[in-house]
Amino acid sequence: MNAPNKSGWKPEMTAAADGMHEGPATATGNRALMLEEPLIFEIGHAETTGVDLPEIAPGGPNRLGGMERRDPIGLPGLSEPETVRHYTRLSRQNYAIDLGLFPLGSCTMKHNPRLNEKVARMPGFADVHPLQPVSTVRGALEVINELAHWLIELTGMHGVAMSPKAGAHGELCGILCIRAALEARGDAREVILVPESAHGTNPATAAFAGYRVENIPANADGRVDLEALKARLGPDVAGVMITNPNTCGLFERDMKAISDAVHAAGGFVYCDGANFNAIVGKVRPGDLGVDAMHINLHKTFSTPHGGGGPGSGPVVLSQALSPYGPLPFTARTADGVVHLVEEENAAEFDHTSAFGRMTAFHGQMGMFTRALAYILSHGADGLAQVAEDAVLNANYILRSLDDLLDAPFGDSGPCMHEALFGDGGFAEGLSTLDLAKSLIDEGYHPMTMYFPLVVHGAMLIEPTETESKAGLDQFIEAFRSVAERARAGDGAMKQAPYYAPRRRLDETQAARKPVLAWQGAKGD
């Protein structure tokens, strides 16, 4: 087990640097429950199979329509126990929210109540199919409509598009609503303004929608420079995309003034609502003049987040933009029945200006059920406490570390959902990356690194509202330990992590020359 396997990495556990855990070599390469796992191609062979299948009679019917496989499939034949054990052993090398605090800033990786998971798996929700007759999914439509109602209530907006699949998809939906509204009045504007403190997807979304993106600088407090914004507004500006609370972890206290200035110039205000968990139940974005805002149900309202999905990004819309929201949507008629509206000429529902569709079907049912369960189980007071606890925990992190770490906006007032630090004070030759790798040895997933770009060597930490004080204290102790080592110039940090299943990769080579395909013995 000491030689590199065919994928190019070396499958061996690393001995502890201090020798405390060294012992005799094992024949398997395992260290008790720290199991060494080869690739699935190295476990089974293409010449074997894990199931018994009957022989195909010659000349039998063929229903593949010319899609028969002409070459060997090249997959290993494993039994069900072998397959399950392989992926279970791999999963044990992952960090997970069920194992400990996940401090990724701006990602809201929090505990998900198991009640919500149970509700999402109820018959009629878990097995609903988008092509079922509408008459058979009335309960699902009720859930979508009920959730839409509460999203509008919580944000103080006029309407909502439920179909966007995630945050960036919701951003595109909002920008397309803005484009449709401008086109309806014959206004061909070309520019979207994006502050430096916005999420990185904001400028990408605006550019994808065909707009030219211009940056607005941040002031010394880490917020939008209001005067710079006002100076740039003009007849070519379609709107502004602003993240609030922003990626410096700060609430944009000039938000109403920003909205008023943009509206006076004939533009619209898009708010990135990914950080809504910091203000839910406390602030209604509609009251601040926001025209469109996506809400990451998979962040604010509990759904599992990470691993590429699942996600859901409904977009709440102001009265000015609601007529242009996409299809489909749900609506309740006078007889009390919730309908699914999929036609563009839906005059009876006052929605004849829809810009089109964002997706083939109606949204993410599992995300809708989880979010509605979260909202109803918390209630108004509980949702307000979600925001209060998220802010309290972030400020506890900030003030517990700002004597040791550079906190560039630590004097800009309380932070919101996340605390931001820089690498000022680190010894020569040590970086944020070295601290992050050392944090792995302490048993924690690293925080978000090098973002936002306005802070050198940024370390963005979001503890969320679901962590206890005891859990935060343990994390703070670990973080202080690695920060002290970074300030003292501990060169051993350059080789961390020492105790993880794998040692540090050459990340440049991993990014530029990744090995993504299995090459068999014959190179096929």
Side-chain angles (χ1 to χ4, degrees):
M1 295 295 292
N2 290 328
N5 64 21
K6 295 182 178 67
S7 67
W9 49 265
K10 191 176 181 182
E12 64 174 355
M13 297 296 180
T14 304
D18 57 9
M20 289 180 61
H21 301 290
E22 291 182 356
T26 58
T28 59
N30 298 336
R31 292 172 178 265
L33 294 181
M34 290 288 287
L35 302 178
E36 190 52 69
E37 187 64 15
L39 298 181
I40 196 168
F41 294 95
E42 298 170 314
I43 300 174
H45 304 280
E47 295 77 20
T48 62
T49 178
V51 295
D52 292 325
L53 297 173
E55 293 292 333
I56 300 176
N62 185 332
R63 300 179 181 178
L64 296 178
M67 300 299 292
E68 299 93 336
R69 177 165 47 82
R70 294 176 175 82
D71 299 307
I73 195 169
L75 293 177
L78 272 64
S79 67
E80 182 175 310
E82 289 174 320
T83 305
V84 170
R85 287 168 183 164
H86 170 70
Y87 287 106
T88 299
R89 288 193 291 261
L90 286 179
S91 73
R92 292 175 56 166
Q93 297 188 19
N94 288 338
Y95 192 84
I97 194 66
D98 290 344
L99 294 175
L101 185 152
F102 225 123
L104 281 177
S106 207
C107 281
T108 320
M109 300 288 281
K110 64 186 180 183
H111 171 76
N112 302 290
R114 293 307 185 258
L115 168 66
N116 305 357
E117 300 299 307
K118 186 174 183 178
V119 170
R121 286 164 172 74
M122 292 172 62
F125 295 144
D127 56 0
V128 67
H129 193 282
L131 294 180
Q132 284 182 237
V134 172
S135 61
T136 67
V137 292
R138 293 296 181 190
L141 296 182
E142 286 280 351
V143 167
I144 297 174
N145 202 65
E146 181 79 359
L147 176 59
H149 163 75
W150 287 116
L151 295 180
I152 291 170
E153 284 290 312
L154 286 167
T155 58
M157 301 290 269
H158 183 267
V160 61
M162 297 296 291
S163 58
K165 299 293 189 182
H169 203 215
E171 290 175 22
L172 180 61
C173 176
I175 294 300
L176 292 180
C177 287
I178 290 174
R179 177 180 286 282
L182 291 171
E183 289 177 349
R185 72 188 193 199
D187 197 344
R189 298 181 177 226
E190 303 175 345
V191 177
I192 292 287
L193 305 179
V194 181
E196 290 180 342
S197 57
H199 275 150
T201 50
N202 292 176
T205 296
F208 185 81
Y211 286 102
R212 189 170 76 253
V213 178
E214 295 186 17
N215 292 332
I216 298 298
N219 59 27
D221 289 338
R223 297 176 173 88
V224 175
D225 187 325
L226 179 59
E227 295 308 314
L229 175 70
K230 288 180 176 180
R232 179 56 190 87
L233 291 172
D236 60 338
V237 175
V240 60
M241 293 187 78
I242 185 168
T243 302
N244 192 26
N246 66 29
T247 51
C248 296
L250 303 170
F251 187 79
E252 294 287 354
R253 52 193 174 210
D254 290 330
M255 189 70 217
K256 187 63 170 63
I258 291 170
S259 297
D260 290 344
V262 173
H263 290 154
F268 292 93
V269 178
Y270 185 91
C271 181
D272 185 312
N275 301 331
F276 189 49
N277 65 305
I279 59 174
V280 62
K282 306 292 288 187
V283 177
R284 300 195 313 171
D287 297 337
L288 302 177
V290 171
D291 291 297
M293 183 184 84
H294 78 265
I295 304 170
N296 295 62
L297 297 186
H298 53 285
K299 292 174 66 174
T300 297
F301 299 118
S302 96
T303 304
H305 181 209
S312 185
V315 179
V316 286
L317 300 166
S318 66
Q319 188 167 3
L321 291 185
S322 285
Y324 306 98
L327 299 168
F329 64 93
T330 59
R332 191 185 302 277
T333 50
D335 59 3
V337 177
V338 175
H339 296 268
L340 183 68
V341 183
E342 298 193 78
E343 302 298 328
E344 293 185 19
N345 57 348
E348 115 181 66
F349 299 105
D350 189 28
H351 199 82
T352 58
S353 302
F355 68 74
R357 302 178 74 99
M358 288 296 295
T359 182
F361 299 115
H362 322 308
Q364 300 277 36
M365 197 65 226
M367 311 307 107
F368 295 158
T369 51
R370 289 179 176 93
L372 184 59
Y374 187 90
I375 290 170
L376 296 180
S377 61
H378 278 76
D381 56 341
L383 289 176
Q385 186 176 347
V386 164
E388 291 168 358
D389 289 350
V391 172
L392 177 63
N393 283 353
N395 280 277
Y396 185 58
I397 292 280
L398 177 65
R399 298 311 172 196
S400 296
L401 295 174
D402 65 356
D403 65 319
L404 191 60
L405 291 169
D406 175 38
F409 305 119
D411 296 327
S412 298
C415 66
M416 298 301 289
H417 57 301
E418 56 197 358
L420 177 60
F421 301 98
D423 61 359
F426 284 13
E428 183 73 24
L430 290 177
S431 67
T432 292
L433 179 65
D434 299 321
L435 184 146
K437 297 297 187 183
S438 299
L439 195 60
I440 294 174
D441 282 334
E442 298 289 343
Y444 288 100
H445 190 288
M447 63 287 155
T448 293
M449 300 184 296
Y450 301 114
F451 182 78
L453 300 178
V454 295
V455 172
H456 191 274
M459 294 172 279
L460 193 59
I461 302 171
E462 180 174 1
T464 82
E465 69 277 5
T466 60
E467 299 299 331
S468 67
K469 182 177 181 298
L472 294 180
D473 286 338
Q474 186 177 32
F475 172 76
I476 290 166
E477 180 182 4
F479 210 100
R480 289 188 67 87
S481 173
V482 293
E484 288 169 351
R485 292 171 61 196
R487 292 178 65 89
D490 184 352
M493 298 178 74
K494 300 294 293 183
Q495 301 300 319
Y498 292 90
Y499 307 125
R502 296 288 174 264
R503 294 297 300 274
R504 190 185 300 203
L505 298 173
D506 182 334
E507 298 191 359
T508 302
Q509 290 294 96
R512 296 179 179 175
K513 297 180 180 180
V515 179
L516 302 178
W518 163 253
Q519 296 294 325
K522 298 179 181 179
D524 54 4

